[in-house]
Amino acid sequence: MLLKLYKPLVLGIALTSVTISGIAQTGAPVETIKANADYKPAFKGQTRIGSVKSKTAYKDEVINTNLNGPWGICVLPDGRLLISGKPGNMQILTTTGKIVKTITGFPKVHFQGQGGLLDVNIDPNFKMNRMVYWTYAQPGENGAALAVAKGKLSADETRLEDVSVIFEAVPRHKGGGQYGSRLLFDKKGNIFISSGDRSANNIRQKAQDLSATTGKIIHITKNGKPVADNPFIGKANAKPEIYALGLRNPDGLAIHPATGDLWEAEFGPRGGDELNLIQAGGNYGWPVVTYGIEYSGEKVYEGIQQKEGTIQPVYYWDPSISPGCMIFYTGNIAEWKNNILVGGLGGLHIARLVIKNNKVVGEERLLVSRQERWRCMAIGKDGNIYACTDSGKLYKISKK
């Protein structure tokens, strides 16, 4: 049953118009392929916005070709890169692409399908406590679950010590799909985690169920406790860790560097990939509300795109680009400042989205010629983008 939320979160909030003054004039939309569905957007500019083109020259170069299933990346205080690998380990690399350390000591992972060792991040106070946090597919008797663990990086940077699991999603599921699984810290040092719906028809409806933590944004402390002001604390049968609900496979999660707002990007089914501005207590509709269709070509349930009590996506893609990751740009190219970069897996490009008044007002496709599946990105201490692909490559993208 679709949950009804308080009125400030309803559909009408998203229907304001956008002024595009202050950015370059847009051209034809970058997407030219016919959409999978004939659904109409809820407001102008919600999909197939006009294109923009970067004026600043930039270059991309492959600096490593030997990564093993890279999934997450973060930047250490000294500027080196910490990269996770799905099979179950992490490595530290220099910004020239040299692997200098391989880290062990992780709990066993369910390395199947989309599961494995997934995202990685470091404690905001890493210089003092050396704590590393990661998400992974945790095996179990009744199936796998998204889990979050933490451990202290040893002095020689080769292993994790005092490892503990601080969160396990429920229910478990025996499939290998759609864990979501990005992890980031808010300004208070608490943790946001994106938890996928696990894909299968017999579990995806749990994205609308507050007694389950699949298909949700989770908000916990560094010790795994619910954050004190979480929106569903005290609600009967609701998991207190839940921050928002109704998500499919949220592989993108980022905080706007200027506003502090939480944004999310997720896979739709066949079409209907979404970019969402996440609100505490917000219901984003999946699987009842979607701009996508089933892989079979049928409607998803009743084929509804709008419903009272749910929040519309800021933007959606049809056909899918398969958002594998997202960041807000804070590097050396001035015209990209605070743009959203979304790594496309199926789309084989990086989408640059110009944001104004919380709306997408321009889109550009970057690195199309590389034809890569972009899995994770980070802005280095040097202001360059470091991005990993499913082919095991590490790219550096920099201003010429």
Side-chain angles (χ1 to χ4, degrees), residues 38-96:
D38 59 1
Y39 300 145
K40 304 301 180 186
F43 56 90
K44 186 177 180 180
Q46 193 182 21
T47 190
R48 298 193 181 221
I49 198 67
S51 60
V52 292
K53 185 172 178 57
S54 297
K55 296 179 179 179
T56 306
Y58 62 92
K59 62 181 179 179
D60 62 278
E61 52 190 311
V62 178
I63 58 174
N64 189 293
T65 60
N66 296 309
L67 301 180
N68 189 7
W71 209 96
I73 183 171
C74 67
V75 181
L76 294 170
D78 62 6
R80 293 177 301 163
L81 310 172
L82 177 59
I83 298 176
S84 63
K86 275 180 66 180
N89 66 14
M90 295 186 194
Q91 294 176 313
I92 297 175
L93 287 82
T94 67
T95 53
T96 63

Side-chain angles (χ1 to χ4, degrees), residues 67-74 82-90 111 113-120 134-137 146 178-183 194 196 249-253 267 323-326 345 373-377 387-390 392-393:
L67 301 180
N68 189 7
W71 209 96
I73 183 171
C74 67
L82 177 59
I83 298 176
S84 63
K86 275 180 66 180
N89 66 14
M90 295 186 194
F111 181 42
Q114 295 172 2
L117 198 155
L118 302 172
D119 207 15
V120 59
W134 67 95
T135 64
Y136 69 107
L146 170 67
Q178 298 185 183
Y179 292 89
S181 194
R182 293 297 170 189
L183 181 156
S194 62
N249 191 26
D251 273 8
L253 199 64
F267 289 73
C325 56
M326 68 178 288
L345 297 172
R373 290 170 55 87
W374 300 94
R375 180 60 67 177
C376 55
M377 293 185 284
C388 299
T389 67
D390 280 358
K393 297 184 184 73

Side-chain angles (χ1 to χ4, degrees), residues 46-234:
Q46 193 182 21
T47 190
R48 298 193 181 221
I49 198 67
S51 60
V52 292
K53 185 172 178 57
S54 297
K55 296 179 179 179
T56 306
Y58 62 92
K59 62 181 179 179
D60 62 278
E61 52 190 311
V62 178
I63 58 174
N64 189 293
T65 60
N66 296 309
L67 301 180
N68 189 7
W71 209 96
I73 183 171
C74 67
V75 181
L76 294 170
D78 62 6
R80 293 177 301 163
L81 310 172
L82 177 59
I83 298 176
S84 63
K86 275 180 66 180
N89 66 14
M90 295 186 194
Q91 294 176 313
I92 297 175
L93 287 82
T94 67
T95 53
T96 63
K98 181 181 178 182
I99 297 171
V100 292
K101 298 286 183 177
T102 296
I103 304 168
T104 60
F106 298 94
K108 184 178 179 181
V109 303
H110 183 67
F111 181 42
Q112 176 192 358
Q114 295 172 2
L117 198 155
L118 302 172
D119 207 15
V120 59
N121 214 328
I122 59 171
D123 193 292
N125 196 30
F126 179 84
K127 281 186 176 181
M128 298 296 293
N129 62 27
R130 301 184 62 78
M131 294 301 294
V132 177
Y133 292 73
W134 67 95
T135 64
Y136 69 107
Q138 180 192 63
E141 191 172 317
N142 297 313
L146 170 67
V148 180
K150 66 178 182 178
K152 184 177 180 179
L153 184 63
S154 63
D156 65 0
E157 302 180 324
T158 63
R159 66 190 183 280
L160 288 167
E161 302 170 337
D162 302 322
V163 170
S164 62
V165 177
I166 62 172
F167 174 80
E168 299 174 16
V170 292
R172 289 183 172 271
H173 179 64
K174 292 190 176 180
Q178 298 185 183
Y179 292 89
S181 194
R182 293 297 170 189
L183 181 156
L184 53 82
F185 288 89
D186 66 17
K187 62 183 179 181
K188 295 181 179 179
N190 296 316
I191 301 169
F192 282 116
I193 304 134
S194 62
S195 174
D197 74 339
R198 301 302 311 281
S199 182
N201 289 341
N202 63 349
I203 191 173
R204 66 181 182 179
Q205 70 272 15
K206 294 287 187 181
Q208 287 293 319
D209 183 350
L210 288 176
S211 69
T213 48
T214 50
K216 309 295 194 302
I217 299 294
I218 303 300
H219 199 201
I220 57 174
T221 69
K222 289 189 281 189
N223 292 320
K225 303 297 184 184
V227 173
D229 60 355
N230 276 356
F232 298 109
I233 287 178

Side-chain angles (χ1 to χ4, degrees), residues 313-364:
V314 171
Y315 196 67
Y316 72 88
W317 292 269
D318 185 7
S320 293
I321 67 166
S322 306
C325 56
M326 68 178 288
I327 60 172
F328 280 93
Y329 183 79
T330 56
N332 299 327
I333 300 175
E335 66 178 300
W336 291 3
K337 182 180 179 181
N338 294 342
N339 289 180
I340 292 176
L341 301 181
V342 177
L345 297 172
L348 304 179
H349 66 270
I350 296 173
R352 178 174 78 97
L353 303 176
V354 182
I355 306 296
K356 188 175 179 65
N357 298 330
N358 290 335
K359 295 291 180 290
V360 176
V361 295
E363 182 173 7
E364 181 178 16

Side-chain angles (χ1 to χ4, degrees), residues 242-321:
I242 295 173
Y243 187 82
L245 67 147
L247 307 172
R248 188 172 181 269
N249 191 26
D251 273 8
L253 199 64
I255 291 175
H256 194 296
T259 67
D261 291 333
L262 180 66
W263 291 69
E264 174 260 3
E266 67 180 77
F267 289 73
R270 187 171 161 189
D273 296 346
E274 294 183 1
L275 175 70
N276 289 300
L277 176 55
I278 299 297
Q279 300 178 34
N283 184 345
Y284 293 83
W286 176 259
V288 178
V289 180
T290 177
Y291 284 92
I293 58 176
E294 300 281 16
Y295 294 117
S296 66
E298 300 296 318
K299 293 180 178 179
V300 179
Y301 296 160
E302 297 179 14
I304 295 172
Q305 289 73 61
Q306 302 177 34
K307 190 173 180 68
E308 183 180 359
T310 66
I311 301 176
Q312 283 285 299
V314 171
Y315 196 67
Y316 72 88
W317 292 269
D318 185 7
S320 293
I321 67 166

